[in-house]
Amino acid sequence: MVATKPRIVIVGAGLAGLSAALHLCGAGQDRFDVVVAEAGNRAGGRVLTSEFAGHRVEMGATWVHGVVGSPVHALARDAGALRYDAADLPYERMDGGFPDRVLTVAEGGNVVDADTVATPIEELYRGMMDAARAGEAGGAGGGVEEYLRGGLRAYQAARPGGSKELEEVEEALMSMHINRERTDTSADDLGDLDLAAEGEYRDFPGDHVTIPGGYTRVVEHLVAALPPGALRLGLRLRRIDWSETPVRLHFADGATTLTLAADHVILTVSLGVLKASVGKDVSGPGAIAFDPPLPEFKREAVSRLGFGVMNKLFVEVEAIEPEGGHQEPARAAAPAFPFLHMAFLGHATKVPWWMRRTESICPVKAGSSVALAWFAGREAAHLESLPDEDVISAVHATLDSFLPAPARSCSNGNEADARATSRWRVKRIKRSGWATDPLFLGSYSYVAVGSSGEDLDRMAEPLPREPEADQTPLRVLFAGEATHRTHYSTTHAAYLSGVREANRLLQHYR
């Protein structure tokens, strides 16, 4: 007689699912029948490298958050994706994430003096967030936004003098940094981002870098190492019956249906999909029906944790002469688009509401004609609903407000000298659409006020929680970035969570 291998079905071929599969196939030494069932037509999940206007751009994951000890950085190195050939496509943020050539402009076109206004507020913001992540927020509770706003009020109160106009610009600058924090965390409102949980979040040491060959190269490297036939695309999970072993997974996509039986399931779907699955209507896009329903501890953790949306807008721009303007011969070459940070003052301009909580529009590298703006929350979701011409019109209105020609300055600094006197025209755009994608329903998780790191631990607990003596344990296991207490929201959290669940099963069969 031939012993039957335990079948393990991994739902989702993102970094969590792929790392779990490879660990089981490698460390498991061919003891398991492993199937990776992916709903989409590609592997990678929220990792998606694309091309736009002659550049390599990331529609999803962008950064490797620290390089020392990072498994994702090691994978990128092993895949040969960290090498850059100058003849290859330029890639996003290839000259670093925080250039020293930032131009900060207040709405209406006045340049904010870097030394006396913009830099002190940025240092205040960074110092406060560093303190929060070190667990040194002084016992302050609640949300991150009030913490930052309170710090600004204390900064202004401690300063002798100070005009109303200056304070208005400082408040706009703090709002600008809050908008950046929103895109970093995907929180629609920083008032909903739990301050205490910031003290638990960790990055790996070292630089934050992008991957010259593209993040998708990491995915391709992992897929190539899978056993032949292990990855199956186009299998969209609709229902999971986990009351007994074998667990039965029901897949359906259009007219295609399939049921797979498994001794164990590793579920790596996004927190957005799980939120849709614990709502009142589990027939909606992306939802999975659980039979029996997920236990209360799991449903509550899913509901309390935050899961937001972050979208990117890439724009290809070209300089045009101002009306009636004349370029000197020395300026015949096209000017470079600036690293533009925008301080919105609330003026009645033609800039639409969804553009007004955007921190910046910056070239993807110095001198590039491709610029990038990040959007979070409601603005990110709204961006997905607009036709291209409305988006282009909104970007034009924004650039006209912040980069009018000729340049003007509200300070005695020389930043205005660095500004191009040309206006800018948008030639074309490309944007991500994570909010409406039924396979994700958002971007990444955060710890919301009312939640805690303990909910992230609950997300990682397998089902059944306390199996009876005659029941098979570890029927449904959970992996993905939203199941890692200290690295949530990152690609390395997804990778490490997959390894964690594979190890859980390896220990079970030891």
Side-chain angles (χ1 to χ4, degrees):
M1 296 181 65
V2 178
T4 303
K5 297 178 182 179
R7 169 172 272 195
I8 301 170
V9 175
I10 300 169
V11 180
L15 290 185
L18 294 174
S19 68
L22 287 171
H23 204 62
L24 286 168
C25 293
Q29 299 179 339
D30 199 36
R31 285 184 291 166
F32 306 107
D33 175 15
V34 177
V35 176
V36 182
E38 166 57 43
N41 60 7
R42 62 173 181 85
R46 285 163 275 175
V47 171
L48 178 58
T49 305
S50 186
E51 292 183 13
F52 174 66
H55 290 65
R56 181 178 292 116
V57 296
E58 304 289 0
M59 306 308 292
T62 304
W63 297 102
V64 176
H65 295 275
V67 299
V68 180
S70 166
V72 173
H73 187 262
L75 285 169
R77 181 195 59 222
D78 293 345
L82 294 178
R83 296 191 297 270
Y84 176 63
D85 183 347
D88 204 352
L89 289 177
Y91 66 95
E92 187 176 339
R93 297 300 197 193
M94 64 183 293
D95 48 0
F98 310 103
D100 57 7
R101 301 172 298 282
V102 167
L103 176 68
T104 305
V105 184
E107 191 171 7
N110 291 326
V111 178
V112 179
D113 185 76
D115 293 334
T116 62
V117 183
T119 298
I121 298 301
E122 181 176 10
E123 290 176 346
L124 173 66
Y125 154 74
R126 291 192 183 280
M128 293 187 70
M129 290 308 303
D130 287 346
R133 286 166 186 148
E136 301 170 355
V144 170
E145 180 157 357
E146 179 53 33
Y147 166 69
L148 291 172
R149 298 282 186 194
L152 176 60
R153 290 193 293 270
Y155 169 84
Q156 292 173 331
R159 177 183 58 209
S163 66
K164 181 179 179 181
E165 291 77 11
L166 174 60
E167 291 185 351
E168 181 184 20
V169 172
E170 290 173 336
E171 289 165 6
L173 291 171
M174 183 58 76
S175 294
M176 182 181 78
H177 294 302
I178 286 171
N179 289 334
R180 176 188 180 157
E181 198 67 31
R182 290 173 62 237
T183 57
D184 283 351
T185 61
S186 86
D188 180 50
D189 186 340
L190 283 199
D192 189 41
L193 182 67
D194 188 73
L195 179 61
E198 292 295 295
E200 290 192 297
Y201 178 84
R202 294 291 183 269
D203 284 327
F204 283 99
D207 294 336
H208 290 206
V209 300
T210 53
I211 300 176
Y215 239 115
T216 295
R217 286 278 297 278
V218 174
V219 174
E220 293 168 347
H221 178 69
L222 295 174
V223 169
L226 288 174
L231 174 61
R232 301 179 64 176
L233 302 176
L235 295 183
R236 186 167 175 181
L237 182 62
R238 298 294 190 174
R239 191 173 86 250
I240 177 169
D241 299 331
W242 62 279
S243 59
E244 59 185 8
T245 304
V247 177
R248 297 198 173 274
L249 300 104
H250 304 275
F251 299 90
D253 197 352
T256 303
T257 61
L258 177 70
T259 297
L260 293 179
D263 296 285
H264 309 278
V265 175
I266 302 179
L267 198 62
T268 75
V269 297
S270 75
L271 178 56
V273 168
L274 289 178
K275 282 182 175 290
S277 303
V278 301
K280 294 181 180 179
D281 181 12
V282 295
S283 63
I288 299 168
F290 288 84
D291 186 13
L294 289 174
E296 184 176 5
F297 85 92
K298 187 76 75 170
R299 295 198 309 271
E300 289 182 348
V302 168
S303 299
R304 283 191 295 258
L305 285 168
F307 188 75
V309 58
M310 190 286 299
N311 276 322
K312 294 180 177 183
L313 172 63
F314 294 96
V315 296
E316 184 182 14
V317 297
E318 65 177 354
I320 57 175
E321 290 187 43
E323 293 183 10
H326 174 68
Q327 286 191 334
E328 297 296 330
R331 293 188 56 84
F337 191 84
F339 289 85
L340 175 65
H341 282 200
M342 301 178 293
F344 286 96
L345 299 173
H347 293 168
T349 70
K350 295 182 179 180
V351 180
W353 66 270
W354 58 271
M355 285 287 304
R356 303 187 71 83
R357 289 210 294 173
T358 309
E359 178 217 17
S360 60
I361 303 177
C362 294
V364 295
K365 70 179 187 71
S368 175
S369 62
V370 173
L372 168 63
W374 300 60
F375 296 83
R378 286 164 290 180
E379 295 81 19
H382 185 70
L383 174 64
E384 296 183 29
S385 70
L386 296 173
D388 282 4
E389 54 267 28
D390 286 2
V391 176
I392 292 173
S393 176
V395 176
H396 280 153
T398 304
L399 296 180
D400 286 347
S401 181
F402 285 89
L403 295 176
R408 300 192 304 272
S409 175
C410 64
S411 69
N412 294 323
N414 296 318
E415 286 86 348
D417 296 340
R419 297 177 59 191
T421 58
S422 296
R423 291 184 183 272
W424 297 90
R425 182 177 74 87
V426 177
K427 296 175 65 177
R428 52 179 165 162
I429 64 172
K430 187 180 183 72
R431 50 190 152 158
S432 56
W434 299 106
T436 53
D437 191 321
L439 304 187
F440 307 102
L441 300 176
S443 300
Y444 35 86
S445 62
Y446 63 93
V447 180
V449 171
S451 183
S452 70
E454 292 180 359
D455 281 330
L456 293 163
D457 286 341
R458 294 184 184 101
M459 290 291 299
E461 287 193 47
L463 299 177
R465 196 178 197 183
E466 297 177 354
E468 301 292 336
D470 60 345
Q471 291 181 324
T472 302
L474 305 181
R475 270 174 266 161
V476 183
L477 302 91
F478 295 82
E481 54 86 13
T483 70
H484 199 292
R485 182 158 184 164
T486 57
H487 292 299
Y488 57 90
S489 82
T490 65
T491 53
H492 55 258
Y495 181 89
L496 291 170
S497 71
V499 173
R500 179 195 67 216
E501 296 312 305
N503 281 332
R504 200 189 299 269
L505 286 172
L506 290 169
Q507 182 70 28
H508 174 68
Y509 282 96
R510 180 170 292 177

